[in-house]
Amino acid sequence: MTAAKEILLSAYPVGMPTSDTFTIRDAAPATAPARGVALKLLWLSVDPYLRGRMSSAKSYAQPFEPGKPIYSGGVAEVTSSDNPKFPVGSLVMGLMNWAHEQGHSGEGLTRLDPALGWGTTLSPSLSVGALGMPGFTAWVGLNIHGRPVEGETIVVSAATGAVGAMVCQMAKRKGLRVVGVAGGAEKCAYAVEVLGCDACVDHKDPELKAKLKGACPNGVDIYFENVGGVTFEAVFPLMNDFSRIPVCGMISGYNATGPYEGPDRFGGVWRAILTKRISVRGFIVFDHAEKQGEFLKETAPLVASGEIKTRETVTEGLENAPAAFLSLMTGSNFGKAVVKVA
């Protein structure tokens, strides 16, 4: 039997993280703390927001500490318990260390209810993907901050990613014209043929601005922002009066080590926000925790029935979690990136 391992943050990276950003070491056997549980990690989520935690810069999320375990959304089996809410053998979801085994206080854990089909019709990995934080982020950003109206046009950046793919499908179900932006012909084809987008434009295309304008003949009413950079520059001139921009992420700048390159267009952007009366709203999904039940009630049956399509890039083995994260940061993943630990 392979010894249990855990993964630590070696040091805060400058620019793009590398394999040296992470340290893998042997871990002590896990025991349940008082009123807590011991866990065997089964699935691990890797997400773009983790890059922000690999920095001491002030943000909405507490930074990781160098020399201590990295943690993110995970699914685990309870192996011992001092908490009646989480009996031995139950599956739980929540923030967990990147470790084969771990003791956990139980705070913030959610038991996956077998009655919903977890482990049968629903893969437990979906609890950290389409039916977890990414799916909930899509639902919040579209419904609460996007305020969609049937017949409007929405542009979704990173349209085949964990969040973007859910936004595209939710928006299409609400009767919107959905235009995706993705990287490469394969992803653009997937956005149209599987996710139901009316069109999808490759952000690597030198004719991005012209092609996006052609795909949005009536302008853009909602821009779901996951990326920033050249995609934002192409979309923003197309924004209609009283349009909305839910700002979910800005992955194009997560590894920046200085000011953005190029001319400063901030004045023109700010003026357009005023004159077009554009609503720009940065949001963090955790601020809307009270809506999670409503999201699951609406979305879980659609995922279980296949009406909402899901796709995962699965990496095998905890020791390969750093590689899975680095792949995510370069856009090599397709759909939700998860690590199958056991």
Side-chain angles (χ1 to χ4, degrees), residues 2-10 19 21-31 39 41 44 65-71 96-104 317-322 341:
T2 305
K5 304 289 186 181
E6 62 181 353
I7 300 178
L8 317 178
L9 180 70
S10 302
S19 58
T21 303
F22 309 90
T23 298
I24 303 177
R25 72 178 185 188
D26 291 339
T31 57
L39 302 176
L41 189 63
L44 187 65
E65 295 185 48
K68 294 191 176 181
I70 293 174
Y71 52 90
M96 300 172 188
N97 290 345
W98 288 17
H100 284 110
E101 303 173 5
Q102 55 200 282
H104 197 292
L318 178 69
E319 69 279 5
N320 294 317
V341 178

Side-chain angles (χ1 to χ4, degrees), residues 97-154:
N97 290 345
W98 288 17
H100 284 110
E101 303 173 5
Q102 55 200 282
H104 197 292
S105 67
E107 184 177 353
L109 293 183
T110 300
R111 184 181 178 188
L112 300 186
D113 184 357
L116 292 178
W118 293 112
T120 53
T121 56
L122 294 173
S123 168
S125 62
L126 294 172
S127 70
V128 293
L131 297 177
M133 184 268 290
F136 187 34
T137 298
W139 188 92
V140 165
L142 176 64
N143 293 302
I144 296 178
H145 303 303
R147 306 189 301 280
V149 176
E150 185 176 358
E152 290 187 324
T153 296
I154 182 173

Side-chain angles (χ1 to χ4, degrees), residues 5 15 29-30 34 44 69 99 115 123 140 146 184-185 192 200 202 214 222 243 247 275 280 298 322 341:
K5 304 289 186 181
L44 187 65
S123 168
V140 165
V192 173
C200 188
D202 186 351
I222 306 170
S243 54
V247 183
T275 59
V280 181
E298 176 183 321
V341 178

